[in-house]
Every structure is written in structure tokens, then in C-alpha cells.
Amino acid sequence: MPQPASSRSQVPGFKVMEVLQRVAELREAGRDVISLCAGEPSGGAPTPVSRRAAEIHASGTALTYTPALGVAQLRNAIAGHYRRWYGLDVEPRNVAVTTGSSGAFMLLFLTAFNPGDRVALAKPGYPAYRNILKALGIEVVEIACGPATRYQPTPELLDAAAETHGPLAGVVLASPANPTGTMVDRGELTALADWCRTNDARLVSDEIYHGITYPEAGAADPRGVCAWELDRAMIVISSFSKYWGMTGWRLGWALVPDSLLGAVDALAGNVALCPPAPAQFAAVEAFSEESYGEADAFLAEFAETRDALLAELPRLEWGDVAPADGAFYLYAELGEQLRGFADSAEYCSALLEAEGVALTPGSDFDDDGGRTAVRLSFAAGREQVLAAVDRIVRFQTAR
């Protein structure tokens, strides 16, 4: 008899990957598909990064193992990034380069929490937080965060969660958040940091969408507030995937408190040995002036696409829409457009088959309230998004 998979591995798949598989099948069959389901910038890596990667591979240099937490050049460059954006002096030794932000979450969740600990997450939220924590034997406390709190947790919601479930060992915060794009300001982050200190909880701040923000002119903290500006006992996780458009390069990083550094280093060496060597050496160029300039140019395109999409909302006739303060997502209730469908997953499947437009059902991010919502990624660009809106309107009108 075949041996079954472990109980800890019994987590749901990431639905967006299932949608992407169907997109690939339809395209293979010759269908014209507009994919707005993945959080993937269409522009790719900045030119200096790609140029350096080509030089590295053409040189014949032996690409051997690197230190478990990354090469010194890259850790130094990341520390310099924090001086540039936030005025923070970060010691390079506190920078852990990882195999994408996913690798950082695995390493830091392993290091910061014990099996049986309770960790709170906002719902709707990125499903991998929940699934990685559950696979590690950590109790996930999902907090329903709706429009009243702009889809973000508050000290009051954390108090209520602790009263219902018991003391919390940690809180995972995302700002800008996936799928809602909402952010916490400095005052709100300070209040959450104070709550965590008072309640002996570790705050894990997901900042992978920092820099992809749409602030009003003259706004404070236009790129987002880094949690280490407030408390260096927190964990900060970031990535090259979003602002720099380097999803497939599989590089992320964490700012690691001194108390966790030794454990993170030891685990990293055992779990992954090291992040990808060629990607590390090339990624140093992500912090060049040319690369920052290209990334900001893509940000301007995201902003134009966002404005164009928001202007089209009346045509879509959807329900409530989350404030897209940052990232490149629109999270919306389908409202009356869900009529005739069992849930948003059925709506998305029918839309993809009929009109070749791929959205992500909200149940990926909230297995309860998300059944009536969808996430649209506008990272594909203005032309693709507006063409998709035309198809969605046609699909909804034809029913």
C-alpha cells in the first residue's frame, strides 16, 4: 500500500497557479488570453541587472556555493538601499539574502515561532503565509479585516483575537497588502508595534511591495514605512520580485534581529545551502541609478494603468472595491455580477473560457468572504487591462 503524504503537507494549493496552468493550456491551443491573475510585472529585470547576468555567464566564472546568507557585495548593497529610501543605517550582517521572499518566510517562521504558537494574519491575505505556518505546526489565527479598517489589522482586532484564541506569539503584516493593495501609515504601524511589544508578540512585516505606491503629492513616507524605523526586534521581509520586476530570479531578503541571526544562518545553510549565485551577483546592479530609474519608470506606468482601471469601474458594475494604495492589484466584490454563479471561482472559470481573461478568485485570499470577490492584477499594463475590461463587460452583458 502506498505511504500517504504527511498530515503537515495537507495545505491547499495556490489557486492562481491553477489559473496560470489553464492559461498556458488555452494559449497552447491557440487562444488569445489576457492574464491578469499573477502579480508579475511585465517589464522584467532592469537592464543593468540583465547585462551583468550576461557578463557573468559569458565569463566562464565558476558559480560555486556562496555564504548561506548571501555574498557580501549584495548584503552591502541592500543595506545601502535602506539608507537611500528610509535613512536607516542597517548592518550588512543583519541582511539575510534568501531564495525569494518565500524562502525568507520559511526561514524566519521556522526561527521565530515554535509548533503550537499562535500567529495572527489579516483576512483577506496572501495564502502562502497561512499555508507555510500551518505546515510548520503553527496555529494560524485569521482576523477578518474589512473596509472599516481598510483591510488591515488593528490593536483592537488583535485584542479580540487574543481573547478568543489565546495569547499571540506573532503577527504578520503586509503593507502594501496582497490582494487589497492597502497600506498602514506610520501611526498605524506604531500602534501595532506597541501592541506587539506589550503582548510579547513578534511582528513580521512583509514589505515586498514597497516602492510600488500611489501617494498624494507631498505625502509622508511615499514608498511605505519600514518596520525597522520603529523597532529592530521586528522581522522585515522584502524581495527583488516586485519593484525590480525580478520574479523568476528567486531572490529576496530579510532584515534579521540580532537575537535570531545565528539560528537563521544555521537553518539557511541546511535548507538551501545558499541563494542562487548568478542571481546574487547580478542583483547588485539593481541598486544602480539606472536600475532605480527604470523601476520608477515602470511605477509611473503602473500608476497610469491604475488610474485608467479605476475610471473603468462604472462599466464593470462590480461591488465594493478595496483602496489600491499600493502594489498592482484591484480587489473587488462582484456584487450583482455574481448572479447565476455559485461563487467567484465559477465566475472566473467561465470568464476565462468564454472571453480569455484570467482573474484570480478571492477565495485564494479569504476562504469565506472571498467567495464573492476577485483580484485583478494590473501589472500587465494599460493596453492589456483596458482590453480585458472590454471583454469582461461583454461577458457580463451576454449572460
Side-chain angles (χ1 to χ4, degrees):
M1 178 180 293
Q3 294 293 315
S6 69
S7 58
R8 69 168 55 191
S9 68
Q10 302 307 299
V11 298
F14 195 5
K15 290 183 178 61
V16 71
M17 303 309 293
E18 298 171 13
V19 178
L20 285 171
Q21 175 63 35
R22 184 56 181 154
V23 168
E25 291 170 355
L26 289 172
R27 286 175 171 167
E28 182 69 20
R31 289 284 301 279
D32 173 28
V33 178
I34 301 175
S35 181
L36 306 182
C37 60
E40 187 165 42
S42 59
T47 302
V49 175
S50 296
R51 184 168 57 229
R52 181 61 184 138
E55 293 169 354
I56 290 166
H57 287 289
S59 70
T61 301
L63 295 168
T64 58
Y65 295 132
T66 75
L69 298 188
V71 297
Q73 303 98 303
L74 185 55
R75 297 171 82 182
N76 287 332
I78 292 170
H81 173 71
Y82 281 89
R83 284 190 294 274
R84 178 187 182 115
W85 272 18
Y86 310 100
L88 274 175
D89 287 324
V90 172
E91 291 291 333
R93 69 186 184 86
N94 291 104
V95 177
V97 182
T98 58
T99 308
S101 62
S102 301
F105 282 114
M106 178 66 80
L107 279 176
L108 273 300
F109 288 165
L110 271 169
T111 307
F113 305 120
N114 289 309
D117 280 350
R118 298 181 192 88
V119 175
L121 313 174
K123 184 170 74 171
Y126 181 52
Y129 306 145
R130 175 185 66 239
N131 295 337
I132 293 172
L133 288 165
K134 285 184 176 180
L136 296 176
I138 296 163
E139 181 181 341
V140 175
V141 177
E142 293 187 283
I143 300 175
C145 299
T149 63
R150 303 184 72 259
Y151 301 89
Q152 292 285 0
T154 65
E156 293 76 20
L157 289 173
L158 294 175
D159 281 334
E163 183 175 347
T164 301
H165 299 279
L168 300 177
V171 177
V172 179
L173 174 73
S175 176
N178 176 9
T180 61
T182 61
M183 300 174 67
V184 294
D185 63 25
R186 185 173 295 270
E188 292 164 335
L189 182 56
T190 299
L192 291 169
D194 289 344
W195 190 95
C196 287
R197 276 192 294 269
T198 300
N199 292 275
D200 196 26
R202 177 89 66 180
L203 192 145
V204 181
S205 181
D206 179 351
E207 300 178 3
I208 71 171
Y209 293 99
H210 271 214
I212 306 178
T213 54
Y214 313 103
E216 299 291 336
D221 308 307
R223 294 190 185 274
V225 183
C226 177
W228 264 33
E229 297 179 62
L230 306 178
D231 188 341
R232 298 201 180 201
M234 299 180 187
I235 294 165
V236 171
I237 292 178
S238 195
S239 173
F240 290 91
S241 292
K242 307 304 181 180
Y243 174 74
W244 286 280
M246 295 169 58
T247 51
W249 296 68
R250 305 317 303 139
L251 278 185
W253 73 82
L255 301 186
V256 182
D258 288 337
S259 61
L260 301 183
L261 263 178
V264 170
D265 196 355
L267 277 170
N270 280 281
V271 171
L273 294 181
C274 68
Q280 286 189 70
F281 290 116
V284 174
E285 293 301 317
F287 303 103
S288 67
E289 292 299 326
E290 185 179 353
S291 291
Y292 278 118
E294 287 188 15
D296 281 342
F298 279 117
L299 171 60
E301 292 183 15
F302 293 149
E304 290 178 3
T305 304
R306 172 182 176 269
D307 290 345
L309 175 59
L310 293 177
E312 292 291 294
L313 285 178
R315 290 183 62 212
L316 288 170
E317 297 183 317
W318 288 349
D320 292 338
V321 175
D325 302 324
F328 29 63
Y329 304 120
L330 183 80
Y331 189 74
E333 291 289 330
L334 287 171
E336 287 297 311
Q337 299 304 330
L338 192 59
R339 188 176 65 256
F341 297 102
D343 54 25
S344 58
E346 187 174 296
Y347 170 97
C348 288
S349 178
L351 172 65
L352 179 55
E353 299 300 324
E355 289 289 349
V357 174
L359 306 180
T360 305
S363 51
D364 224 7
F365 313 99
D366 180 348
D367 57 9
D368 184 17
R371 289 171 55 84
T372 59
V374 294
R375 188 194 73 175
L376 183 158
S377 170
F378 55 84
R382 186 175 184 274
E383 182 178 337
Q384 289 280 284
V385 167
L386 292 181
V389 168
D390 287 340
R391 295 187 188 189
I392 295 169
V393 171
R394 186 169 61 203
F395 168 74
Q396 294 178 163
T397 303
R399 291 194 299 117

